Structure formats: C-alpha cells, structure tokens
Amino acid sequence: MLSKKELVSKSVEELAPLIEKREVSSLELTEAVLEHAEKLNGEINAYVSFRRKKALEEAEKADAEIASGNYRGMYHGIPMAIKDNIYVKDEVTTMSSKIHRDFVSDYDATAVKKMREAGIVLTGKLNMHEYAWGITNNSPHFGPVKNPWNLKKAPGGSSGGSGAAVVADMTVATLGTDTAGSIRIPSSACGIVGLKPTHGLVSKYGVYPLAWTLDHIGPMTKTVKDAAGLLEVLAGFDKNDPTSVNVSVEKYTEQVKGDVKGLVIGIEEDFFFNRVDATVEKLVRDAIQQLADLGAKVEPVKIPALKYAEYAELVTSLSEASAIHHRDLLARPDDFGDDIRMLFELGELFTAVDYLQAQQLRRQLKQDFEKAFAHIDVLIAPTLPIVMPDIGDDLVDLNGEKVDLVENTIRFTGPANLTGLPALSVPCGFKGDMPVGLQIIGPAFKEGTLLNVGYAIEQTNPLKGKKPEILVSN
C-alpha cells in the first residue's frame, strides 16, 4: 500500500491506472493532496483558497462512477487546483486582487466545465500575480508565492502559485494562463512542464482577461504525458469564445513516443541565444545535442521580425490591459498594487497609431515564423535567459551584469503569444539549486509534435530525480 507521501508525489500517468483498477481511490488521493497542501501552504503560499468539503464530495462521486464501470479517462478522479483567474460557478475568484477580492461568477469557465466532464476533482484556487500582470507573484494583497526549490526565490509568474503547487506536490496538475509567458515562466523556474497551446485551441471563456489577443490557457504538469492528457480534456471549439478555432481535437497522448529521428530542429541564434546566462545556454545546447544524437537534424534559421517582438508585445499587452482596467484605474487607482498600476498608467499613453503599428509587426513576425517552419519542424530556445532572483528583486544577474527582471523574463516567451503559436517548456537541468527550462515552439496546432520532442528530452532525466528540499523534510 502506498504511503500518503508516495501518493501525492506521483504523476497523473502513474495514478490513472491505479484509480481505474480501484487500487487507489480518488477519495484517499484527494485527502492526501489536501492534507499535504494545507501543511505546506503556510511556507509556500501557493493556494488562495481550499475547497476541502466540496473536493471530498467530488472525489466520492468519482469513486462511485468508477465502481459502476463509468471510467471517463486519464483524469477521472484526479485532484487539481487551478489558477485564481478561472471562474468557478458560485465561488469566489479573486484574480489575487483587492478590487475583485469578493467577486463571484454565476457560471463555470469552459475549462472548468470540461474538467467536470472529465471527472476531475477541484481542490482549490491558486495564487497568482495580481490580474496576471507580472512575473514575480509577489502579491501585495495575498502575499508572495515562494519557490519550493529555494524559499527565498521567486517562482516566476503570473501562474506562480500553479508552478509552485505542482512541483511541491500540492496539486497533481493544474491550469495556468499565458499572455507573455505566464505558463512557461513559472514552469521553467519551478522545474515542471508547461504548455501554451495554439491561440484558439483552448477556450478562454470564463477566464478574466489580461490582453484579449494574447491570452491563452493551458496545462502545467509533472510530466509531458500528463500535459498531453490534460490538453485532450481542455481542447475544443467553444462558441462562447470569439477567438476559438474549430479544429479537431487530437489524441495527443498517442503522439508522445519520444522518437525524434529525422526531426528538423531550428536554432535562431540572433534572438534566442543573444544575452543568455552561460549555464542556461549550455544546458539548452546540450539538450539539443542529445536530440541530435537520437537522430534529429539541427538547422540555423533567421526570423528577422523578432527584433521588433519586444516592442510589439509591450504595446499590445499594455494597451489591451489598460483598456480592460480603464474604469477602475480612474475610479480607484490606489486599490491596485503599485507595480501593475504603473503598467496600466503606461498603457494609457500609447496612441491608436502605436497599437496598429504593433499589429502590423505581429503580422510580419507570424509570416517570418511560417517561412521558417517551411524548413524546420520545431524551434528550440531557452525558456528564460536568466534564473529567477530573490523575491522582491527588480534586477537579475545575467553573466555578472544586473539587468531588468521583467524585460529579461518575457524576452523569449513573448513571441509565441504575439504569433499565437504553441510553445512548450520542459526542464533541461539545474543552475545551482534552481531548475532551468527549455522552450519548444512549433507550427500552429502541432502540439503533438512539441509534446513528442518534450518527451524525448524528459526521457534523458534532466532533473536526475531531484526533489525540492522542503519535500524531503516534510
């Protein structure tokens, strides 16, 4: 019989067959996850709220369904917490803000509806950067999330509670949102798998927006196969989301085999390997070499419009976010945290000309990526050019130079939001005690290809089975 510690440490792909065969019940798993999360939350601060009573009721229901022969699939009975900007009917969704501290939605987000249909148990809501507009998760309203690998360090954001909860076994898997990297950044910083799907593949209906044309929702998990399975749950057309695209949902789990023979990997040196931490760069290049050793080919590519990506991301995200929060910015500016109030005020300064020029740059960037993908299957780069600093630091070390944290954190993740292309972050090693992530970008709706490449990297065991010390001592 598995101990509670062993239970909570397992991935979905390990737990699913145990639940299906009724060797482990959803109820005992959910109780173990809740107990572990409640114990660690005082130190890590990943959860904003728990749903203990409702979660246990949902777990009992899942067990009854499975016992009656109605097993719904890989995620049936799996306990999961989600980022606190995703609506759950008749329950508080705070966006980790003061203004929406008591906001209650009268409907489920489409993602939550799909989770319920899959039989997932919802354990609670996870801390985040206020309104998803930041990368440190240092919340003035709900307190900072701490990185389980080193409690002095930031976990990345804005889905920092999600990243910390997964690696600390406080949830078996989770959902994050991503506007400039907010799934991939904490996934890299916390040493987990994070997938930003193609724009329009997963419905954003019922998710509080940050920037309409850049927002995405996607899985954050312990393993690549867990991400593939969760994407199967989430993907699909939704008439309630005007950006939703009507494409068939693939069996992503069946595409995760790790065979990369003949795969063509693109390397864009000028942008994605420019001004990168030396250890990070070496780890990413070593991982690419390992793929080459498995039969992949590596080709240099040029994507000229990348030089405009940071500007286009800045103008688009700030303008759209400021429009969303314009009324509250006028009526109650002091109720925003200092950092995001400054960003919203900055967003009010751009003109219509600035915004429309940024959209033309986005179009050019998309075309340049399409040209590159005519010759390559995926593009591989560091997820982050840096390793996250201490909580509260606005500057970060880059090869001995102190540089702006925000600018250098979203530098490599923003282009996939501008283009809407799928991007996957997987661990590729450590710098000291902190994990490092590698980013795989692919053509639209080729999530299966990305997940397969990510699985090949995962099979090299880049984290060497290492766990955060807080898990060893608890």
Side-chain angles (χ1 to χ4, degrees), residues 37-98:
E38 288 164 347
K39 181 181 178 184
L40 287 188
N41 205 48
E43 291 183 84
I44 294 173
N45 198 32
Y47 276 75
V48 168
S49 60
F50 288 94
R51 300 176 77 250
R52 171 172 272 279
K53 185 171 182 294
K54 290 178 180 176
L56 295 176
E57 288 171 356
E58 290 168 8
E60 286 182 331
K61 181 185 175 188
D63 285 332
E65 289 172 345
I66 294 164
S68 67
N70 184 24
Y71 181 68
R72 303 189 199 179
M74 181 177 177
Y75 270 81
H76 199 174
I78 296 294
M80 268 179 58
I82 58 174
K83 188 175 180 179
D84 200 26
N85 58 347
I86 303 169
Y87 300 170
V88 177
K89 185 179 180 181
D90 298 331
E91 298 183 26
V92 173
T93 300
T94 69
M95 281 59 79
S96 286
S97 69
K98 180 179 179 181

Side-chain angles (χ1 to χ4, degrees), residues 85-87 105-113 202-209 217 238-244:
N85 58 347
I86 303 169
Y87 300 170
S105 170
D106 59 2
Y107 65 95
D108 279 336
T110 297
V112 172
K113 182 170 171 282
V202 176
S203 172
K204 302 187 297 293
Y205 180 69
V207 178
Y208 195 90
I217 182 170
D238 179 18
K239 62 180 174 54
N240 292 315
D241 179 356
T243 67
S244 185

Side-chain angles (χ1 to χ4, degrees), residues 39-328:
K39 181 181 178 184
L40 287 188
N41 205 48
E43 291 183 84
I44 294 173
N45 198 32
Y47 276 75
V48 168
S49 60
F50 288 94
R51 300 176 77 250
R52 171 172 272 279
K53 185 171 182 294
K54 290 178 180 176
L56 295 176
E57 288 171 356
E58 290 168 8
E60 286 182 331
K61 181 185 175 188
D63 285 332
E65 289 172 345
I66 294 164
S68 67
N70 184 24
Y71 181 68
R72 303 189 199 179
M74 181 177 177
Y75 270 81
H76 199 174
I78 296 294
M80 268 179 58
I82 58 174
K83 188 175 180 179
D84 200 26
N85 58 347
I86 303 169
Y87 300 170
V88 177
K89 185 179 180 181
D90 298 331
E91 298 183 26
V92 173
T93 300
T94 69
M95 281 59 79
S96 286
S97 69
K98 180 179 179 181
I99 293 170
H100 281 88
R101 181 182 284 271
D102 300 312
F103 171 75
V104 176
S105 170
D106 59 2
Y107 65 95
D108 279 336
T110 297
V112 172
K113 182 170 171 282
K114 285 176 172 283
M115 286 172 61
R116 294 193 195 281
E117 289 168 355
I120 292 170
V121 173
L122 181 57
T123 57
K125 304 297 281 296
L126 296 170
N127 205 342
M128 55 183 278
H129 205 107
E130 184 178 0
Y131 290 117
W133 199 203
I135 48 84
T136 64
N137 241 109
N138 191 7
S139 169
H141 312 297
F142 292 85
V145 177
K146 297 174 183 177
N147 194 314
W149 290 99
N150 181 334
L151 298 181
K152 294 179 181 177
K153 301 290 183 184
S158 64
S159 310
S162 297
V166 171
V167 78
D169 298 332
M170 298 167 76
T171 180
V172 182
T174 188
L175 302 183
T177 61
D178 192 311
T179 305
S182 288
I183 287 172
R184 292 159 289 153
I185 292 164
S187 293
S188 177
C190 292
I192 65 168
V193 175
L195 173 64
K196 182 201 78 64
T198 305
H199 195 253
L201 181 63
V202 176
S203 172
K204 302 187 297 293
Y205 180 69
V207 178
Y208 195 90
L210 172 56
W212 297 289
T213 69
L214 300 170
D215 291 345
H216 300 68
I217 182 170
M220 298 173 69
T221 59
K222 295 180 181 181
T223 71
V224 171
K225 283 188 176 177
D226 286 6
L230 190 48
L231 184 60
E232 288 179 14
V233 170
L234 298 171
F237 178 70
D238 179 18
K239 62 180 174 54
N240 292 315
D241 179 356
T243 67
S244 185
V245 180
N246 196 355
V247 294
S248 59
V249 178
E250 299 175 18
K251 288 284 186 184
Y252 302 106
T253 47
E254 293 177 3
Q255 299 176 52
V256 178
K257 300 182 186 300
D259 181 8
V260 295
K261 192 171 183 181
L263 180 94
V264 183
I265 299 167
I267 306 295
E268 217 287 351
E269 296 279 356
D270 294 344
F271 183 83
F272 285 114
F273 286 88
N274 181 26
R275 301 189 73 232
V276 180
D277 177 276
T279 303
V280 171
E281 180 176 354
K282 183 179 187 308
L283 288 168
V284 174
R285 290 193 188 275
D286 286 350
I288 293 168
Q289 184 57 52
Q290 287 179 306
L291 294 174
D293 293 343
L294 293 169
K297 300 172 185 174
V298 181
E299 300 283 348
V301 293
K302 297 286 187 184
I303 303 177
L306 277 168
K307 62 178 172 285
Y308 305 118
E310 291 175 71
Y311 171 77
E313 172 76 32
L314 186 74
V315 173
T316 304
S317 58
L318 285 173
S319 299
E320 293 182 10
S322 294
I324 289 164
H325 293 278
H326 177 72
R327 189 173 297 173
D328 284 330

